[in-house]
Amino acid sequence: MNTNIEVTENGLYLVLEVTEQLDVRLLHFGSSPYDASSIDESQKPGFRLMELQLTGEDRAEYHGRTHRASFPGLRMQYETHRDYFGGPGRKLEIVLRDPVTALKA
């Protein structure tokens, strides 16, 4: 089952989705509350939280100037998150990890 990370702060609304496959998607960031009916399920894979490319890592779909995804970007998986207050205000940290290279972001 997918789970959402939701933050409401100072009139801003943020919604991230963590899928069963540990993919993290940015579903909403705005000044109004999230309306789940505004995004079709088939669109969600295009809302990845992060893309990352490393030298030597490539995808067959990369052709010239058409860039549609990247390795290890597609392999990055949710590891943990932390939502806390400190210093100047609220901070949300999302940790992603590539299981192949062990790279963390």
Side-chain angles (χ1 to χ4, degrees):
M1 181 173 155
N2 296 351
T3 59
N4 285 352
I5 299 169
E6 298 186 28
V7 174
T8 301
E9 187 72 24
N10 293 323
L12 294 174
Y13 299 85
L14 170 72
V15 179
L16 301 168
E17 177 183 65
V18 180
T19 69
E20 290 180 12
Q21 295 77 28
L22 302 178
D23 190 18
V24 181
R25 301 168 177 172
L26 174 61
L27 298 183
H28 181 74
F29 181 68
S31 59
S32 59
Y34 173 57
D35 175 9
S37 68
S38 67
I39 300 174
D40 187 82
E41 196 65 34
S42 66
Q43 295 173 309
K44 288 183 178 183
F47 299 148
R48 298 182 56 75
L49 180 63
M50 186 183 96
E51 289 295 340
L52 176 67
Q53 187 171 358
L54 292 178
T55 301
E57 297 273 344
D58 204 356
R59 287 182 46 100
E61 292 98 15
Y62 180 76
H63 300 288
R65 291 170 43 188
T66 304
H67 186 76
R68 295 189 302 224
S70 61
F71 280 144
L74 288 173
R75 295 188 307 244
M76 296 300 278
Q77 296 179 339
Y78 172 84
E79 189 167 276
T80 189
H81 77 278
R82 187 172 153 205
D83 183 8
Y84 61 97
F85 292 89
R90 188 172 186 172
K91 184 175 183 180
L92 175 64
E93 295 177 353
I94 308 290
V95 178
L96 304 176
R97 183 178 176 279
D98 174 17
V100 174
T101 64
L103 182 69
K104 283 188 179 185

